[in-house]
Amino acid sequence: MHFFDDSLYPENQEKLVIQAAPYGPEWLPGDADDLPVTMDEHVQAAVDCYNAGATVLHIHVRELDGHGSKRISMFNELMARLREAVPDMVLQIGGSISFAPEDEGADAKWLSYDTRHMLAEIDPRPDQVTIAINTNQMNIVEIFDDEDIEGTSISKAAYYKAYRDMVVEAGPDFYLEHLKRLRANDIQPHFQLANMAQLETVERLIRKGVYSGPLVLNYVAIGGGFAGRHPADLIEFIRRVPDGAVLTIEASMRAVAPMNAIGIALGAHVRVGNEDNLWRRKGERMSSVEQVEQMVRIADALGREIATGQEAKKIYKIGEWYEGADETLDRLGMVPNRRPGRRGFMLRDVKS
């Protein structure tokens, strides 16, 4: 992304889109005060986050026993109720479905490809499904302080080991088919990227015409094989993202607020919620709604406006698709593919 002298002026930045993740699939009831269990509680969490200022909802579903649901019928039911309760929100299904261990000591893992592909069949369909690119270690506890998980289920040795050893299975066999199914069902992929190499893979998919559409992504700074918390890495990632892309910053625990503050100042968007963080400051809990409210206050202090639900859908380009590599590159502000015989660095085509 290019920055001009006036790029940090809030009146020249897009309105801020706040993504809320209030369903905390890695936690069990009791780990946080605001974890929804019943379907009514799931819906109320969405309403509360929307009323606080969030316009994108990252969705997981929990069974009454407290574990993450793997039943598509539960997702169908929640989607139908959310379409009624928060019609202006961008509804985004978490592509892992759930990675909460079934039993103490069971491996936390992403489900089989067939199960994950079923997310494209949810009815009513979501606006987005998150998608990982390239198989990657996802050791979410590596970057945690002991105080982050003290008293939670993840502090138990078996659970801790399960999350320490977790791997995101997302090789070409998965993402090529998943992108195809999402496109066939008019569901936008929301790319969850751990590092620069994954961004480069997405660019290759675009240049080869495998993916033709808006580039909407999260920079996932959760450590353990994903990006870490170094501000220079965050800024370099922002610099490398195409001008026409939509970028949201995602971090973990007490680093969420400072990383998002940088993102807000630079014109990016933010994600908060109990899936990512439980704390306001050391030893003081913070709900998902309170985290949304905090982002609103930071944005207000900088003079940046908050997007409405309809504005968020326009910023995210919900429902838009492009025709092939050339149009996608043009819409994203990227230089075209090399033409046969063309030497040197590529420039954008100038139409006479």
Side-chain angles (χ1 to χ4, degrees), residues 322-344:
Y322 306 144
E323 292 295 329
D326 290 344
E327 183 184 358
T328 305
L329 293 169
D330 184 59
R331 294 289 193 99
L332 294 177
M334 302 168 70
V335 296
N337 286 325
R338 187 179 300 280
R339 309 293 187 230
R342 181 82 176 266
R343 294 188 176 188

Side-chain angles (χ1 to χ4, degrees), residues 25-41:
E26 75 273 35
W27 308 112
L28 293 176
D31 290 343
D33 295 335
D34 62 335
L35 285 180
V37 176
T38 68
M39 190 60 67
D40 286 347
E41 290 171 346

Side-chain angles (χ1 to χ4, degrees), residues 9-292:
Y9 296 161
E11 66 268 20
N12 293 330
Q13 296 174 338
E14 289 179 323
K15 293 184 179 182
L16 178 66
V17 176
I18 300 174
Q19 186 183 131
Y23 300 117
E26 75 273 35
W27 308 112
L28 293 176
D31 290 343
D33 295 335
D34 62 335
L35 285 180
V37 176
T38 68
M39 190 60 67
D40 286 347
E41 290 171 346
H42 282 72
V43 175
Q44 190 61 51
V47 171
D48 292 344
C49 287
Y50 176 73
N51 289 338
T55 49
V56 178
L57 184 70
H58 182 75
I59 300 167
H60 293 272
V61 186
R62 182 173 276 103
E63 297 281 357
L64 292 177
D65 67 1
H67 289 90
S69 179
K70 299 171 177 61
R71 293 190 292 151
I72 297 301
S73 62
M74 292 284 286
F75 285 81
N76 291 342
E77 179 182 354
L78 180 57
M79 280 298 304
R81 293 191 58 176
L82 290 174
R83 286 294 182 203
E84 292 289 329
V86 285
D88 286 340
M89 288 192 92
V90 175
L91 300 183
Q92 174 196 102
I93 298 288
S96 61
I97 301 183
S98 173
F99 40 82
E102 287 286 320
D103 302 299
E104 187 162 351
D107 287 342
K109 61 183 180 181
W110 287 38
L111 301 183
S112 71
Y113 288 174
D114 286 343
T115 305
R116 290 158 68 191
H117 290 326
M118 288 177 64
L119 295 177
E121 308 298 327
I122 290 174
D123 183 25
R125 68 171 182 261
D127 299 299
Q128 299 178 321
V129 168
T130 62
I131 182 171
I133 299 293
N134 296 335
T135 297
N136 204 83
Q137 184 72 45
M138 192 180 180
N139 173 9
I140 65 171
V141 300
E142 178 188 76
I143 207 166
F144 288 176
D145 296 331
D146 290 342
E147 295 88 350
D148 291 334
I149 57 173
E150 185 177 357
T152 72
S153 58
I154 296 181
S155 67
K156 297 178 180 179
Y159 276 41
Y160 186 94
K161 184 179 185 301
Y163 284 107
R164 185 198 66 188
D165 295 340
M166 189 162 59
V167 173
V168 176
E169 293 283 351
D173 276 350
F174 166 70
Y175 64 70
L176 293 175
E177 178 64 21
H178 206 54
L179 287 171
K180 186 187 303 182
R181 295 194 189 195
L182 293 177
R183 176 66 183 90
N185 288 281
D186 198 28
I187 299 171
Q188 184 184 82
H190 191 121
F191 295 94
Q192 302 283 108
L193 301 186
N195 51 51
M196 207 72 72
Q198 293 176 2
L199 179 62
E200 291 174 349
T201 293
V202 173
E203 179 175 346
R204 295 182 189 108
L205 295 175
I206 290 169
R207 291 193 175 279
K208 293 176 181 178
V210 174
Y211 174 70
S212 299
L215 181 56
V216 181
L217 55 90
N218 274 23
Y219 174 74
V220 187
I222 61 174
F226 280 61
R229 296 169 177 171
H230 200 300
D233 293 338
L234 167 61
I235 291 172
E236 175 61 13
F237 192 90
I238 291 175
R239 191 184 71 81
R240 290 284 296 275
V241 166
D243 292 331
V246 180
L247 175 63
T248 294
I249 309 305
E250 176 182 343
S252 68
M253 294 303 182
R254 288 185 292 127
V256 168
M259 291 286 283
N260 280 344
I262 297 170
I264 292 172
L266 294 179
H269 306 285
V270 298
R271 168 172 145 157
V272 295
N274 59 32
E275 183 170 340
D276 304 332
N277 176 41
L278 301 177
W279 307 100
R280 182 189 308 277
R281 54 179 62 89
K282 191 171 182 178
E284 182 181 337
R285 290 297 185 102
M286 192 179 194
S287 70
S288 296
V289 168
E290 290 170 333
Q291 292 179 52
V292 173

